[in-house]
Amino acid sequence: MDEAIKIARSAGILGPSVMGSPHAFDMEVRVGAGAYVCGEETSLLNSLEGKRGIVRAKPPLPALQGLFGKPTVVNNVMSLASIPVIMDRGAQFYRDYGVGRSNGTIPIQLAGNLKHGGLYEAAFGMTLGQLVNEIGGGTISGRPVKAVQVGGPLGAYFPPSLFDTVFDYEAFTAAGGLIGHAGIVVFDDTVDMLKQARFAMEFCAVESCGKCTPCRIGSTRGVETADKIARGIEPEKNRQLLADLCNTMKFGSLCALGGFTPYPVMSAMTHFPEDFAPTPLVEAAE
Ligand code: SF4
């Protein structure tokens, strides 16, 4: 990015007089310290202002009151990266890629237990199964796929029975998931989905900005509850508790970190209930 900006500045595209016009426009890169929540727009603004990366309540929306209290437009790099081709080839050219209301292409990151992991750009409209088996080449371990997490660490897990799901925003929402940043992580049949659910809660506890209770406290209680299920302590009661906790986090959290953590947890419980039913231990009597 820094190199591209240097080139644009020396070509007169950025600077006090863009292409010799009276208009000034410049860009600079600010590197964050790595907090996941600083991908949330208001937390990002606080971080840019030199404050702790904590989420702001909305309203006011950043478009009205953003960086240093000024109206601010916030877009992710994926959106901005689609602008050049639209400017160059026109909107219809871009629209011709994709399916339904999901227009254009998306950079998809194939990762995890896959033969051909990597970064691929594809039009919306392939099925999840095509992405995993045809582009990704199936598991590198040679074992059957058990679960695929789509959308990042807060994305839902999909079993192979949902491989017909079309990779677009609407179909994934309807299937109880999300496209998110289009990261796809594949797991074979050795994965323990209860451990994956626990990991999601732990991730949320570590990355939580701490502003709201459902996320800050709920994620820690979620880790504890998953541990109780794993140890066979009152599994039925604790499965219900974990589902209730997810419900509270989903609808009571201020931002998507706490609000989306239930996606991996609930999808793991829904599609892989056998992993949430360990053999009860002696402690079950406690
Ligand atoms: S959901 Fe979590 S990260 Fe988001 S505002 Fe609440 S505590 Fe902060």
Side-chain angles (χ1 to χ4, degrees), residues 37 55 208-212 215-216 253-255 257-259:
V37 76
V55 173
S208 172
C209 84
K211 178 136 178 169
C212 66
C215 169
R216 184 185 68 245
S253 295
L254 191 57
C255 87
L257 178 52

Side-chain angles (χ1 to χ4, degrees), residues 33-250:
Y36 185 82
V37 76
C38 286
E40 193 282 335
E41 58 179 355
T42 60
S43 194
L44 174 80
L45 294 173
N46 272 342
S47 173
L48 276 172
E49 288 179 9
K51 298 174 185 155
R52 197 177 132 197
I54 201 166
V55 173
R56 298 177 187 170
K58 290 186 274 192
L61 293 169
L64 300 174
Q65 218 173 307
L67 190 66
F68 297 112
K70 305 286 184 201
T72 306
V73 175
V74 184
N75 280 300
N76 66 36
V77 175
M78 203 161 72
S79 304
L80 296 174
S82 57
I83 294 174
V85 70
I86 296 173
M87 300 297 279
D88 187 32
R89 311 287 288 268
Q92 193 55 48
F93 176 83
Y94 187 77
R95 261 178 194 281
D96 286 344
Y97 289 93
V99 60
R101 293 177 60 223
S102 298
N103 298 136
T105 62
I106 183 158
I108 298 167
Q109 311 105 61
L110 291 182
N113 193 335
L114 267 186
K115 275 199 194 104
H116 310 302
L119 181 63
Y120 301 85
E121 185 174 1
F124 288 99
M126 297 181 79
T127 65
L128 181 58
Q130 281 177 310
L131 290 167
V132 172
N133 292 322
E134 290 176 26
I135 296 187
T139 62
I140 198 163
S141 65
R143 301 183 66 90
V145 173
K146 174 166 170 176
V148 180
Q149 188 177 29
V150 182
L154 307 182
Y157 287 99
F158 284 76
S161 59
L162 292 177
F163 270 12
D164 284 345
T165 310
V166 173
F167 203 72
D168 73 44
Y169 291 110
E170 291 73 33
F172 265 69
T173 303
L178 50 103
I179 295 272
H181 61 53
I184 294 181
V185 184
V186 176
F187 299 84
D188 73 12
D189 61 349
T190 59
V191 69
D192 177 342
M193 297 308 292
L194 174 55
K195 280 193 185 149
Q196 295 305 115
R198 183 195 191 278
F199 172 75
M201 285 293 189
E202 191 183 22
F203 179 84
C204 182
V206 170
E207 296 291 346
S208 172
C209 84
K211 178 136 178 169
C212 66
T213 313
C215 169
R216 184 185 68 245
I217 310 271
S219 51
T220 297
R221 295 290 94 86
V223 171
E224 294 166 359
T225 309
D227 284 343
K228 284 182 184 164
I229 297 170
R231 292 167 62 200
I233 300 171
E234 298 184 275
E236 184 50 46
K237 184 178 139 195
N238 282 308
R239 278 192 294 268
Q240 187 56 48
L241 196 59
L242 193 57
D244 284 353
L245 204 49
C246 282
N247 205 41
T248 303
M249 289 172 73
K250 185 171 180 182

